[in-house]
Amino acid sequence: MALFLLLLPLFFLSSLANSLPILFPRAPQSLLANLSESNKYPNLPYSAHYFPQQLDHFSYQPKSYTIFYQKYLMNSTFWERGEPIFVYTGNEGDIEWFAANTGFMMDIAPKFRALLVFIEHRYYGTSKPFGEKSYESADKLGYLNSAQALADYAVLIRSLKHNMSAESSPVVVFGGSYGGMLAAWFRLKYPQIAIGALASSAPILQFDDITPWSSFYDGVSQDYKDESINCFEVIKKGWDELMRLSSVKNGLSELSTTFKTCKTLHSVYQARDWLWEAFVYTAMVDYPTKANFMKPLPANPVQEMCRIIDGFPPEVDILTKVFSAASLYYNYSGSQSCFNIGYEADVHGLDGWDWQACTEMVMPMTCSNKSMFPPSAYDYKEFGDQCKKTYGVRPRPHWITTEYGGHNIKQVLSRFGSNIIFSNGMKDPWSRGGVLENLSSSIVALVTAKGAHHVDFRSATEEDPTWLIEQRTLEVEIIRSWIDKYREDEMI
Amino acid sequence: MALFLLLLPLFFLSSLANSLPILFPRAPQSLLANLSESNKYPNLPYSAHYFPQQLDHFSYQPKSYTIFYQKYLMNSTFWERGEPIFVYTGNEGDIEWFAANTGFMMDIAPKFRALLVFIEHRYYGTSKPFGEKSYESADKLGYLNSAQALADYAVLIRSLKHNMSAESSPVVVFGGSYGGMLAAWFRLKYPQIAIGALASSAPILQFDDITPWSSFYDGVSQDYKDESINCFEVIKKGWDELMRLSSVKNGLSELSTTFKTCKTLHSVYQARDWLWEAFVYTAMVDYPTKANFMKPLPANPVQEMCRIIDGFPPEVDILTKVFSAASLYYNYSGSQSCFNIGYEADVHGLDGWDWQACTEMVMPMTCSNKSMFPPSAYDYKEFGDQCKKTYGVRPRPHWITTEYGGHNIKQVLSRFGSNIIFSNGMKDPWSRGGVLENLSSSIVALVTAKGAHHVDFRSATEEDPTWLIEQRTLEVEIIRSWIDKYREDEMI
């Protein structure tokens, strides 16, 4: 569910930083490292299992048959034989993390007497086909892609149903963000295995030329603008102010003081990335309740950030304002006395999503004049060259739309397919690449004006607003209707 | 369209011939060789083109990006910009052969002002990624499979539409036999590229345990039984008579005389394969008109064969009867003075379909007591061991149903997908593994009692019976309705 999607271009663009005034944030490596520790979630109500999975489903070299162990989590507390199986189609990270942040499935399991299964995506967490060497080269990484992941899910689910004598149990897939894309695509490609999909915050239209390339950052910016014009303007001016400091004597030292860094910054881009990440991720996780997804944050964190900025007297310098706002993201708990800004040392480590972004998950993004970010362009050639240099292979920027579609999606799916919910919250900048209108009577869009990145998947809390409660209720009703129809059709 | 499907198990089972009294026929290598000569079809109204295709669509090793040239044939005589594109999804052989035997598409092109495209299946004809070395080993053959073939079609069609400024042209895919499976699967997997599929004689349910394993040979047998009980009985007795000769002094020599062989037989199995092929293929191509698909044959050749058998006085020996009937298949033109029975020298040559059968296209078949063939069993383990020995890899017998479905197909597709015609003629033994009832309002079955293997795809002739004319008319009407709806939906 985390949108590591967003993490993509950092390691490329950092080398282009002087020519391209844009830098996408990525989660600090330390965070990723923590997530891989399974004891991070000691109270997770799932048992871990490992499925012998085939390395390559779409070729038949002897080495294609290599087996690796794919992790999956299961909870059968509420399940009764014949009743549904709810499967989370894991995305780009440790499966425990997604399980911990998809309390919705646990909340509704008793209603459906459902078996819960969370399947880890190949090459993430502990499901690495070549262990620690999995990211070593394109020869090993080559099998990390969406089609192989979907096939993994198909094979695993079929085997699981067989082994549990659960052949008559209907399977519904759930996924958020990239996992949501996988859930939707899984329903489209494997209707014989899943009767329906709930795809939350799945930007399946963020590819190729389907959605304007500037939409994501326009969306982030709109979130801040909606809170306060001043807030938007201050952040927008911040970038120039940062750049100005880079050419000023003692600028970095001054900046280090303002930003309370533990060590003196050696590049203004370190500060820029740090701010960028804070503003972008906070827009994504602008939840109506206190939450801890990327970081611990209060309810409505964008509003809180703008409150901080707007709370300063006008004469206070811009960077102090933006720093203070960004601190909310990094230090809501107040435990940090200084910030470890700058993680370039880890930035060139190969990680799974960077590879996926460099092969098939190519989502071009620009910053328009309307955004609060410095204007920037996107160039396929430049991006491809960087990928080639890093991995030895080039992206296939039109592959996703060839394999899964996206262009004219309403025309294509109005008479094809069924049983998909695309849920999106409009505060989430990814929503602009999502499906925001019903495509047919059973491929539907649930759009909430105040929702953020797959907020519907979070555990219910006492503080949940009515619109969120209603959204989840509607999702449950729709899923119920799929199951009812499945039961009717069994009589065919 | 040719059912090389059927050719499958010969080279395995020949080594098991003593334990398994069954041997599937395959086309003589000489026939296959001829088909590869493009001058075999000098008057074919298509121009040949070559598309740079990617070797592996589902992995991203540097070598996955290797380009090979995929052949396709085109005729744009009737096409007008914006009007439909009819694509034949090539199957296991030279694309010219399929084009020559799918006159139906040419016949209807003017009505639709359609562009005609026939795409050759990778690893067949001249579309071999590694040239003459393509069948050398599993490392090279590994990329020969249905998923890669479907992806080829998707990439090629998308590129073609782009290059011809034909983005608004709806694409309808056509295919017969294995090509029909591909057409149906293509519509299911790539609805964004094809608006519908006409799958003729596509036994998509011949996998796993969906269709009884004995159905194919029961179907062949029924064809003969329907013509004459005597005919059926004579053929049924023939096998034992053959076997008896193998243990008789001078038996082979006697048999060679009866079978008019050019060279003396060195095994009774040579004669058995020869008969087997004749009876099975003749059932498949039991067309109502004179035709030349596998071989030149008269109209209703099963009836003709039985007429030959029944025409003998009862006292004539059984092998003379069955030989005479089989001669119709091999020598309808009367040009052969002796028969080159026995082609074991070529039998171990690797060819594409054997590989496909040994990896994913696993269609278990047995002969039941009800059939006119010697009873036989099927054993996954034994088959797998033979594949392993031959290619170094094992079959994945449940992969096709995992990837494409098949179990409970009506339940799955009654609310998913649209615009597929499954046409089947009940004289074709493959029809028993086909879709014989409507699955939904737009996934329909057209079944003709007297039809044989994709007879609807043949060019119209003066002699066509009414039921065949009506079938083709209905197919045209249904395809027309898909295009009309596509046009309506463009307004969405």
Side-chain angles (χ1 to χ4, degrees):
Chain A
M1 292 155 52
L3 217 38
F4 288 8
L5 289 174
L6 190 59
L7 309 178
L8 150 62
L10 176 67
F11 80 101
F12 300 118
L13 294 182
S14 59
S15 61
L16 302 170
N18 291 325
S19 58
L20 276 181
I22 176 175
L23 201 53
F24 293 70
R26 63 191 266 156
Q29 292 295 320
S30 57
L31 171 62
L32 297 178
N34 284 340
L35 291 169
S36 297
E37 290 166 18
S38 56
N39 63 3
K40 171 104 183 173
Y41 304 97
N43 300 319
L44 220 51
Y46 298 99
S47 55
H49 307 263
Y50 298 86
F51 180 79
Q53 190 61 268
Q54 181 154 331
L55 180 61
D56 190 348
H57 298 285
F58 303 105
S59 81
Y60 293 85
Q61 279 82 25
K63 72 166 186 301
S64 311
Y65 292 72
T66 304
I67 293 298
F68 71 96
Y69 286 87
Q70 180 167 31
K71 187 174 190 174
Y72 63 101
L73 307 177
M74 214 158 53
N75 179 307
S76 58
T77 310
F78 307 106
W79 191 52
E80 289 175 27
R81 178 146 297 134
E83 297 299 332
I85 302 176
F86 290 169
V87 175
Y88 187 93
T89 52
N91 28 326
E92 70 284 27
D94 194 288
I95 193 61
E96 279 85 359
W97 190 30
F98 300 117
N101 282 283
T102 313
F104 174 66
M105 287 172 66
M106 184 58 85
D107 288 346
I108 67 173
K111 286 189 185 67
F112 289 93
R113 289 172 291 182
L115 177 69
L116 299 180
V117 182
F118 286 76
I119 312 178
E120 193 161 67
H121 191 296
R122 55 165 57 201
Y123 283 82
Y124 292 97
T126 57
S127 301
K128 298 199 177 78
F130 304 98
E132 290 311 305
K133 294 182 178 172
S134 298
Y135 295 170
E136 210 172 61
S137 68
D139 274 336
K140 293 198 170 67
L141 276 165
Y143 310 98
L144 166 51
N145 59 65
S146 58
Q148 300 280 0
L150 295 177
D152 288 341
Y153 300 148
V155 171
L156 194 155
I157 292 168
R158 186 172 174 181
S159 171
L160 189 75
K161 289 183 76 171
H162 179 76
N163 291 339
M164 297 186 77
S165 304
E167 262 92 352
S168 67
S169 288
V171 171
V172 177
V173 287
F174 295 70
S177 195
Y178 168 52
M181 298 184 191
L182 293 174
W185 293 337
F186 191 78
R187 169 62 184 157
L188 289 172
K189 295 285 192 185
Y190 295 92
Q192 65 273 19
I193 295 181
I195 67 159
L198 171 49
S200 183
S201 301
I204 61 166
L205 306 180
Q206 195 75 47
F207 298 92
D208 238 336
D209 55 356
I210 303 172
T211 299
W213 291 359
S214 65
S215 68
F216 181 87
Y217 284 107
D218 285 349
V220 174
S221 306
Q222 193 64 45
D223 285 355
Y224 290 85
K225 204 174 198 171
D226 285 348
E227 294 299 340
S228 124
I229 299 284
N230 178 62
C231 178
F232 169 88
E233 294 289 349
V234 165
I235 298 169
K236 189 179 174 81
K237 283 179 196 150
W239 313 108
D240 280 349
E241 187 59 16
L242 257 186
M243 286 304 124
R244 196 187 59 76
L245 279 183
S246 69
S247 57
V248 164
K249 200 185 165 194
N250 293 328
L252 279 177
S253 155
E254 193 185 311
L255 193 60
S256 300
T257 308
T258 308
F259 276 47
K260 297 185 182 161
T261 64
C262 304
K263 291 184 202 162
T264 304
L265 295 170
H266 56 78
S267 159
V268 71
Y269 297 114
Q270 295 177 297
R272 192 181 64 170
D273 297 354
W274 190 83
L275 291 175
W276 198 288
E277 178 181 336
F279 293 130
V280 172
Y281 278 129
T282 302
M284 278 169 57
V285 300
D286 190 21
Y287 297 133
T289 57
K290 214 170 121 164
N292 181 358
F293 179 42
M294 298 303 292
K295 306 262 192 189
L297 280 172
N300 305 308
V302 170
Q303 189 178 68
E304 289 305 313
M305 278 190 172
C306 285
R307 200 169 282 170
I308 290 168
I309 287 174
D310 292 348
F312 282 103
E315 63 276 15
V316 173
D317 80 279
I318 281 173
L319 290 180
T320 299
K321 291 176 181 169
V322 294
F323 162 77
S324 302
S327 301
L328 182 80
Y329 176 76
Y330 293 106
N331 195 24
Y332 177 55
S333 66
S335 61
Q336 313 235 29
S337 56
C338 66
F339 295 99
N340 278 306
I341 298 179
Y343 38 80
E344 279 73 359
D346 290 319
V347 143
H348 292 94
L350 303 175
D351 87 7
W353 187 256
D354 287 341
W355 163 265
Q356 290 195 254
C358 251
T359 47
E360 59 180 24
M361 305 301 288
V362 180
M363 293 180 278
M365 285 191 183
T366 59
C367 293
S368 75
N369 288 326
K370 286 190 301 181
S371 87
M372 67 184 199
F373 298 94
S376 68
Y378 179 89
D379 183 78
Y380 277 120
K381 171 78 169 54
E382 204 158 26
F383 180 69
D385 289 346
Q386 287 292 330
C387 289
K388 175 77 178 164
K389 195 171 146 192
T390 309
Y391 292 114
V393 298
R394 290 198 164 273
R396 290 199 291 164
H398 310 298
W399 171 249
I400 288 290
T401 53
T402 299
E403 179 69 7
Y404 305 110
H407 290 102
N408 308 317
I409 192 169
K410 188 157 186 178
Q411 193 185 353
V412 172
L413 296 185
S414 65
R415 296 187 194 272
F416 185 96
S418 57
N419 297 2
I420 305 175
I421 300 170
F422 289 102
S423 70
N424 276 288
M426 293 310 290
K427 285 195 173 184
D428 177 12
W430 289 113
S431 65
R432 308 211 171 187
V435 174
L436 300 176
E437 57 166 348
N438 293 350
L439 303 182
S440 70
S441 62
S442 75
I443 304 183
V444 297
L446 295 188
V447 179
T448 55
K450 295 181 183 170
H453 206 48
H454 45 68
V455 62
D456 46 337
F457 274 16
R458 303 194 65 74
S459 296
T461 73
E462 292 291 321
E463 292 78 33
D464 289 339
T466 309
W467 59 261
L468 180 54
I469 296 167
E470 285 173 355
Q471 178 186 7
R472 290 184 182 132
T473 303
L474 191 50
E475 288 170 354
V476 166
E477 280 170 15
I478 294 172
I479 293 167
R480 173 73 68 199
S481 76
W482 298 340
I483 294 166
D484 289 346
K485 280 181 185 145
Y486 170 84
R487 295 294 180 211
E488 282 171 36
D489 293 349
E490 273 182 320
M491 311 301 165
I492 289 179
Chain B
M1 291 155 49
L3 217 37
F4 288 8
L5 290 174
L6 190 58
L7 308 178
L8 152 60
L10 176 67
F11 81 101
F12 299 119
L13 294 182
S14 59
S15 61
L16 302 171
N18 291 326
S19 58
L20 275 180
I22 176 173
L23 200 52
F24 293 69
R26 62 190 265 157
Q29 292 296 319
S30 57
L31 170 63
L32 296 177
N34 285 340
L35 291 170
S36 297
E37 291 166 18
S38 55
N39 64 3
K40 172 107 183 172
Y41 305 96
N43 299 319
L44 219 52
Y46 298 98
S47 55
H49 306 264
Y50 298 87
F51 181 78
Q53 190 61 268
Q54 182 155 330
L55 180 62
D56 189 348
H57 298 285
F58 303 105
S59 82
Y60 294 85
Q61 279 82 25
K63 71 167 187 300
S64 312
Y65 290 73
T66 304
I67 293 298
F68 71 96
Y69 286 88
Q70 181 167 32
K71 188 174 190 174
Y72 63 101
L73 306 177
M74 214 159 54
N75 179 307
S76 58
T77 310
F78 308 106
W79 191 53
E80 288 175 28
R81 178 145 297 132
E83 297 300 332
I85 302 176
F86 290 169
V87 174
Y88 187 92
T89 52
N91 28 326
E92 71 286 26
D94 194 290
I95 193 61
E96 279 84 2
W97 190 32
F98 300 117
N101 282 283
T102 314
F104 174 66
M105 287 172 66
M106 184 58 85
D107 288 347
I108 67 173
K111 286 190 185 70
F112 289 93
R113 289 172 291 182
L115 178 69
L116 300 180
V117 182
F118 285 76
I119 312 178
E120 193 162 69
H121 191 296
R122 56 165 57 202
Y123 284 82
Y124 292 98
T126 57
S127 302
K128 298 200 177 77
F130 304 99
E132 291 310 304
K133 294 181 176 171
S134 297
Y135 295 171
E136 210 172 64
S137 68
D139 274 335
K140 291 198 172 66
L141 276 165
Y143 309 99
L144 166 51
N145 58 65
S146 59
Q148 300 280 0
L150 296 178
D152 288 342
Y153 301 147
V155 171
L156 193 156
I157 293 169
R158 186 172 174 181
S159 170
L160 188 75
K161 289 182 76 169
H162 180 74
N163 292 338
M164 298 186 76
S165 304
E167 263 92 353
S168 66
S169 288
V171 171
V172 177
V173 287
F174 296 70
S177 193
Y178 168 51
M181 299 184 191
L182 293 173
W185 292 338
F186 191 78
R187 169 60 183 160
L188 289 172
K189 295 287 192 183
Y190 295 92
Q192 65 273 18
I193 295 181
I195 68 160
L198 171 48
S200 183
S201 300
I204 61 167
L205 306 179
Q206 195 76 45
F207 298 92
D208 239 338
D209 55 356
I210 303 171
T211 299
W213 291 358
S214 65
S215 67
F216 180 87
Y217 285 107
D218 285 348
V220 173
S221 306
Q222 193 63 47
D223 286 353
Y224 290 85
K225 203 174 199 172
D226 285 346
E227 294 299 340
S228 125
I229 300 283
N230 178 62
C231 178
F232 170 89
E233 294 290 349
V234 166
I235 299 170
K236 191 179 173 81
K237 284 180 193 147
W239 314 108
D240 279 349
E241 187 58 18
L242 258 186
M243 286 305 122
R244 194 186 60 76
L245 279 184
S246 69
S247 55
V248 164
K249 198 183 166 197
N250 292 329
L252 279 178
S253 155
E254 192 186 314
L255 192 60
S256 301
T257 308
T258 309
F259 276 47
K260 299 186 181 161
T261 62
C262 305
K263 291 185 203 161
T264 303
L265 295 169
H266 56 76
S267 159
V268 72
Y269 297 114
Q270 295 175 296
R272 190 181 64 170
D273 298 353
W274 190 82
L275 291 175
W276 198 287
E277 178 181 335
F279 294 129
V280 172
Y281 278 129
T282 302
M284 276 169 56
V285 300
D286 190 20
Y287 297 134
T289 57
K290 213 171 122 163
N292 181 357
F293 179 41
M294 298 303 292
K295 305 261 192 190
L297 280 172
N300 304 309
V302 170
Q303 190 178 65
E304 289 304 314
M305 279 189 170
C306 284
R307 200 168 281 169
I308 291 168
I309 287 175
D310 292 348
F312 281 102
E315 63 275 16
V316 173
D317 79 278
I318 281 173
L319 289 180
T320 298
K321 291 176 182 170
V322 294
F323 162 76
S324 301
S327 301
L328 182 79
Y329 176 76
Y330 292 107
N331 195 24
Y332 176 54
S333 67
S335 61
Q336 312 233 31
S337 57
C338 66
F339 294 99
N340 278 305
I341 297 178
Y343 37 80
E344 278 75 357
D346 290 319
V347 143
H348 292 93
L350 302 173
D351 87 6
W353 187 256
D354 287 340
W355 163 264
Q356 290 194 254
C358 250
T359 48
E360 59 180 25
M361 305 301 288
V362 180
M363 294 181 278
M365 286 192 183
T366 59
C367 293
S368 74
N369 288 328
K370 286 190 302 180
S371 87
M372 65 185 201
F373 299 94
S376 68
Y378 179 89
D379 183 77
Y380 277 121
K381 171 77 169 53
E382 204 158 25
F383 180 69
D385 288 347
Q386 287 292 329
C387 289
K388 175 77 177 163
K389 195 171 146 193
T390 309
Y391 292 113
V393 298
R394 289 199 165 273
R396 291 198 291 163
H398 310 297
W399 172 248
I400 288 289
T401 53
T402 299
E403 179 70 7
Y404 304 111
H407 290 102
N408 308 317
I409 193 168
K410 187 156 187 179
Q411 193 184 355
V412 172
L413 296 186
S414 65
R415 296 185 194 271
F416 184 96
S418 57
N419 298 1
I420 304 176
I421 301 169
F422 289 102
S423 69
N424 276 289
M426 293 309 291
K427 286 196 173 182
D428 177 11
W430 289 112
S431 65
R432 308 212 172 186
V435 174
L436 300 176
E437 57 167 347
N438 294 349
L439 303 182
S440 71
S441 62
S442 75
I443 304 183
V444 297
L446 295 188
V447 179
T448 55
K450 296 181 182 170
H453 206 48
H454 43 70
V455 63
D456 46 339
F457 274 16
R458 304 194 63 75
S459 296
T461 72
E462 292 290 322
E463 292 77 34
D464 288 341
T466 308
W467 59 261
L468 180 54
I469 295 167
E470 285 173 355
Q471 179 186 8
R472 290 185 182 130
T473 303
L474 191 48
E475 288 171 354
V476 166
E477 279 169 16
I478 294 171
I479 292 168
R480 172 75 67 200
S481 76
W482 297 342
I483 294 167
D484 289 346
K485 281 183 185 142
Y486 170 83
R487 295 294 180 212
E488 282 171 36
D489 293 348
E490 273 182 320
M491 311 302 166
I492 288 179

